[in-house]
Amino acid sequence: MAGQRAGASDQDAGWWRDDAPRRGGGGPGAAPQHEEVPRPRRSTDEPGDGSRSGGRAEARRSQQGSGGGRRGGQPPAPTGGRAAARAGRRKPRSRKKIVALVAVSALGLVVAAGGVVYWQLNGNIKVFDDGGVSKDRPDATAPDAEGRTPVNLLLIGSDSRAGNNKDLGGGEDGGARSDTTILLHVYADHRHAVGVSFPRDALVDIPPCKLPNGKWTKQQSGVMFNSAFSTGNTEEGNPACTQNTVEKLTGIRVDHTMVVNFEGFASMTEAVNGVNVCLPNAIYEGDLNPNLGRKGKQLYPKGQQKVQGQAALDYVRLRHGIGDGSDIGRMRRQQAFMSSLIKEVKGAGMNPTTLLPVANAATKALTVDKGLDSASKLITFAMSLKNIDLHDIKFLTPPWRYEKERVALVHPDVDQLWGALKADRTLDGQDASGEATPDAGATTAAAPAPSAATEKPAATPVKGVGIKVGVYNGTTTSGLSSKAADVLAAAQFTVTAKTNAAQQNHATTVVQYGPGEKANAQAVASLFPGSTVEQVSKAGVNLVLGKDYASTSGDSATGTAAAAPKALPSSVAKEARSADDDPCSNVSYG
């Protein structure tokens, strides 16, 4: 129905036209319902058999005069006066009424059709229970000087096999997992946006989450990111738990959460008539299904191609046969796919007419928070992005490293990323209006150089092989023990515990050590500038984090104003992908 007026059909309704076929006439090629016998015309000069004399017929004939018979079935011209004026105006006025009636009726059809579409979309949308969203949340971002506010949208791709998803997912497993999770930060100016992909096997802390029975779980430490969505083991997943996890991890308040499953994703790609993608090499059946045991036939050729439906879904889920087969490489292809999808939608025009087919496809398999629980809200949000240039839409993966078969986020680089987004700073250190933000850690020309006594010596990296350390959060700021544990793990220390300290009022960070372990304690302290070492009677080495560490790791536990975010490491900005990048670039890893 694309391009067809709402309420229209393939044939012209024709009921209002002067030349419209009457009932039984049909259109071209239509089978007649019945035949009408044509009536012969009679001249008033020749009444013929059966003509009546007298009565109204005779009166009409007498009014026409001796030479005024009908010619060709046309009425006689009026002879003047008001009657003639009325007769002259009667037909045009009738046409105007008809045109007005048609216009009103057509408008009514459009409004009615639009109402039906919106009603249908509203009926498609599912809303998740916001009772599972944590009460301990980051503060909402305050509007800027112009009253504009950034928006943070959490987009979750679910691999639930429920319903029609089973045929698309190709699996038998129950429950749901987050196959893809992206935090989209739309800047206050609504002319820049950044999508951050979370590795699904990244090790994170998951805060307490609500279960289907109404109970809440305990906090989990060092578990895979996508296990948050699986909490409760339901076919719908647990989007509130994923939202809680992202907010705890980033310190950024999520404004909206949206879950799209396999069916919705496949339908969206069909609604835009396919999406352009690229592969560095050909892909075969055995790559898509490693358990096949053979190479199989080719599914995707090398290079650029257009995919939709099942083929598009398989493309974004593909891991094997490209690069090192990791989830990192798959995320890069997902980012490239999202870029191409945005190109398709923006290329067709960001307006309700082009967005409604996409929305209709998506909402059939969409679960959202209450803030996006209607078609009008979804369309309004989508329309708010229409002024963002493709080059100013970025996608990236947070700084990471391998930790055995899993992924660990790298601190403090990832903290600087979260800090930049919270401050509404672009990846190159600019604010949304284009003003540069100075690096808080940079040394200006007027600043004195550090003295030899205070300058940190250029020593070899700390090696913590064989040293066991317990990590304890001595503040009320959540997440510190995990951040510190990541720092220690990166230096090859063995972390034996990550939990809260007995008292959570420590102002400074201290490393406690037992008899004969001072050297190990000093090695730990070297990773946490400003910390002190302290001997205790109990054996072992324990790191107790204070408020000084909370303030330097991006949290304002002391209540003081946060410092301006530092410029991101160049590697973060360099790895970012723009929506207008070559679709064949940066689509694999390893």
Side-chain angles (χ1 to χ4, degrees):
M1 293 184 63
Q4 184 172 307
R5 187 178 69 252
S9 65
D10 292 336
Q11 295 183 358
D12 192 343
W15 60 268
W16 57 272
R17 291 172 47 183
D18 292 343
D19 60 346
R22 296 299 188 265
R23 179 178 174 183
Q33 297 178 2
H34 64 275
E35 292 187 6
E36 293 186 3
V37 178
R39 297 178 180 178
R41 293 177 179 172
R42 292 195 299 255
S43 169
T44 55
D45 295 330
E46 301 174 5
D49 294 339
S51 63
R52 293 185 301 173
S53 62
R56 285 179 291 178
E58 183 65 31
R60 285 196 300 270
R61 285 194 292 271
S62 65
Q63 290 174 357
Q64 293 171 359
S66 60
R70 295 183 183 179
R71 296 179 182 177
Q74 297 298 323
T79 60
R82 284 180 294 177
R86 285 195 300 269
R89 291 195 302 263
R90 185 174 297 119
K91 192 167 185 178
R93 184 175 65 180
S94 178
R95 288 177 182 271
K96 289 180 180 179
K97 284 184 177 180
I98 291 174
V99 171
L101 178 61
V102 170
V104 172
S105 300
L107 179 61
L109 287 172
V110 170
V111 172
V116 169
V117 170
Y118 270 74
W119 177 81
Q120 178 183 347
L121 295 182
N122 290 339
N124 290 343
I125 300 171
K126 296 180 182 177
V127 181
F128 69 84
D129 179 18
D130 61 358
V133 176
S134 174
K135 306 302 180 190
D136 182 19
R137 305 182 63 191
D139 293 333
T141 306
D144 64 9
E146 298 182 30
R148 305 171 304 183
T149 306
V151 179
N152 295 297
L153 170 70
L154 185 63
L155 178 62
I156 304 171
S158 167
D159 68 352
S160 168
R161 266 65 170 182
N164 295 333
N165 294 305
K166 182 177 180 181
D167 295 332
L168 293 169
E172 300 291 338
D173 297 337
R177 286 156 295 278
S178 53
D179 211 47
T180 304
T181 305
I182 297 175
L183 178 63
L184 180 68
H185 176 79
V186 181
Y187 289 82
D189 66 353
H190 281 248
R191 292 185 177 275
H192 299 79
V194 172
V196 182
S197 300
F198 293 91
R200 66 178 190 171
D201 52 358
L203 299 177
V204 300
D205 291 345
I206 297 180
C209 291
K210 188 177 181 180
L211 296 171
N213 62 9
K215 296 182 179 180
W216 289 74
T217 64
K218 294 182 179 180
Q219 177 170 312
Q220 304 175 69
S221 298
V223 296
M224 288 176 57
F225 175 84
N226 73 341
S227 63
F229 192 70
S230 304
T231 300
N233 195 31
T234 65
E235 295 293 350
E236 296 78 20
N238 197 329
C241 188
T242 300
Q243 178 176 321
N244 295 342
T245 302
V246 169
E247 290 189 338
K248 178 180 176 64
L249 178 65
T250 64
I252 297 172
R253 188 181 183 95
V254 174
D255 300 297
H256 298 296
T257 295
M258 182 185 299
V259 182
V260 180
N261 64 23
F262 288 160
E263 184 181 3
F265 176 87
S267 297
M268 276 194 296
T269 62
E270 292 170 345
V272 297
N273 297 317
V275 176
N276 286 314
V277 300
C278 189
L279 288 166
N281 53 262
I283 297 299
Y284 297 85
E285 288 179 308
D287 299 320
L288 195 62
N289 179 15
N291 297 323
L292 187 63
R294 54 187 173 82
K295 186 175 182 178
K297 67 178 182 181
Q298 179 178 294
L299 299 178
Y300 302 90
K302 177 182 177 179
Q304 292 195 50
Q305 53 209 284
K306 203 163 193 175
V307 295
Q308 61 179 297
Q310 179 74 60
L313 181 62
D314 289 342
Y315 172 86
V316 297
R317 302 188 68 232
L318 179 67
R319 287 181 62 178
H320 303 281
I322 307 176
D324 65 355
S326 68
D327 192 49
I328 300 298
R330 175 165 61 178
M331 284 194 302
R332 290 185 173 184
R333 287 186 293 280
Q334 290 171 349
Q335 292 167 359
F337 186 94
M338 290 292 293
S339 298
S340 293
L341 178 59
I342 292 171
K343 283 182 186 178
E344 294 288 343
V345 176
K346 286 183 71 68
M350 292 286 285
N351 57 68
T353 302
T354 58
L355 291 174
L356 278 174
V358 180
N360 184 44
T363 53
K364 292 177 181 178
L366 190 69
T367 303
V368 298
D369 65 279
K370 290 184 177 180
L372 293 176
D373 62 356
S374 70
S376 62
K377 292 177 182 178
L378 286 169
I379 296 295
T380 298
F381 175 75
M383 291 291 290
S384 72
L385 310 180
K386 67 178 182 179
N387 291 326
I388 305 179
D389 186 81
L390 287 174
H391 185 72
D392 294 321
I393 301 175
K394 310 287 186 182
F395 290 97
L396 59 85
T397 303
W400 64 277
R401 60 176 174 79
Y402 279 123
E403 185 164 309
K404 296 181 180 179
E405 70 277 9
R406 303 301 180 202
V407 170
L409 302 181
V410 176
H411 300 279
D413 293 3
V414 71
D415 302 307
Q416 294 175 16
L417 172 60
W418 308 141
L421 297 181
K422 283 192 287 186
D424 214 34
R425 304 294 178 184
T426 58
L427 301 183
D428 56 358
Q430 306 290 317
D431 71 7
S433 61
E435 297 178 3
T437 301
D439 185 346
T443 304
T444 62
S451 65
T454 60
E455 186 175 8
K456 190 174 181 178
T460 56
V462 176
K463 296 293 184 181
V465 177
I467 302 176
K468 297 181 180 180
V469 185
V471 182
Y472 298 88
N473 186 356
T475 77
T476 57
T477 302
S478 62
L480 293 186
S481 58
S482 292
K483 293 178 181 179
D486 288 340
V487 174
L488 291 166
Q492 299 181 312
F493 287 85
T494 300
V495 177
T496 58
K498 287 190 298 182
T499 187
N500 292 328
Q503 295 181 345
Q504 294 182 286
N505 59 353
H506 291 259
T508 59
T509 300
V510 61
V511 182
Q512 299 174 340
Y513 65 93
E517 297 184 272
K518 184 176 182 178
N520 291 344
Q522 289 175 331
V524 172
S526 66
L527 295 176
F528 300 89
S531 63
T532 59
V533 296
E534 176 185 71
Q535 184 173 359
V536 294
S537 59
K538 188 176 180 179
V541 178
N542 295 317
L543 171 65
V544 182
L545 302 167
K547 292 182 179 180
D548 57 343
Y549 183 68
S551 62
T552 59
S553 63
D555 296 300
S556 53
T558 61
T560 58
K566 293 184 177 181
L568 291 173
S570 59
S571 59
V572 176
K574 184 179 179 181
E575 290 295 320
R577 177 188 197 90
S578 295
D580 62 348
D581 281 356
D582 183 344
C584 293
S585 67
N586 203 20
V587 291
S588 66
Y589 179 82

